[in-house]
Amino acid sequence: MDERILQFFEKKPEALPLYAELEEKSRQEIPDVEIRVQKTQISFYKRHMFACVSFARVRKKADCPDNYIVVTFGLSHRQDSPRIDIATEPYPNRWTHHMLVADAAEIDGEMMGWIKEAAEFAAAK
């Protein structure tokens, strides 16, 4: 695994397997994914950024498990699901969704469907 990714998870190493699962599935299902490690997030790109992983606060601290990542992705519409913690529309017809993931089993077909849709949406810009 890339040294920059290991450094990103240096303070929360227990969350690294969650990220590794997401990266592996993303690479399997979305051709030519480019990953960029930044100070506060790891971004997934096709032509444009379509998703990212961070430790953003999307719930009250008391409601957060000890081990988690936040997966953020953009769609052309609001995706209503109890799994999505926050959905905002920063621009018309561009919805940003934030989802707290605490178990690798949550990185399932439904979630990967949203991520693939986000990649297609970003590529069409």
Side-chain angles (χ1 to χ4, degrees):
M1 184 166 285
D2 187 304
E3 183 64 32
R4 294 169 299 155
I5 293 171
L6 296 174
Q7 288 174 345
F8 183 87
F9 286 96
E10 194 170 66
K11 292 182 181 176
K12 296 187 182 217
E14 65 282 352
L16 182 59
L18 296 171
Y19 169 80
E21 179 75 10
L22 178 65
E23 181 182 327
E24 180 181 336
K25 286 188 175 179
S26 295
R27 289 189 185 281
Q28 288 173 356
E29 298 188 30
I30 303 165
D32 305 319
V33 172
E34 179 187 344
I35 295 177
R36 299 181 193 168
V37 181
Q38 299 162 317
K39 186 175 181 177
T40 60
Q41 69 186 34
I42 299 175
S43 303
F44 292 64
Y45 284 80
K46 285 291 283 178
R47 192 167 154 227
H48 299 283
M49 185 173 77
F50 63 88
C52 69
V53 171
S54 70
F55 297 110
R57 180 76 50 86
V58 295
R59 296 181 188 169
K60 293 180 182 176
K61 188 171 183 174
D63 296 334
C64 290
D66 292 335
N67 182 30
Y68 70 90
I69 58 175
V70 173
V71 178
T72 302
F73 55 91
L75 299 174
S76 64
H77 61 280
R78 182 185 182 118
Q79 181 64 55
D80 290 316
S81 170
R83 298 177 67 184
I84 295 173
D85 291 280
I86 300 171
T88 60
E89 188 179 25
Y91 304 101
N93 301 317
R94 172 143 175 81
W95 285 86
T96 302
H97 302 78
H98 304 277
M99 186 175 169
L100 189 142
V101 176
D103 188 301
E106 296 176 73
I107 305 169
D108 58 8
E110 180 179 49
M111 180 181 172
M112 290 311 300
W114 296 332
I115 299 291
K116 288 191 317 191
E117 184 180 349
E120 292 166 5
F121 176 58
K125 286 187 204 175

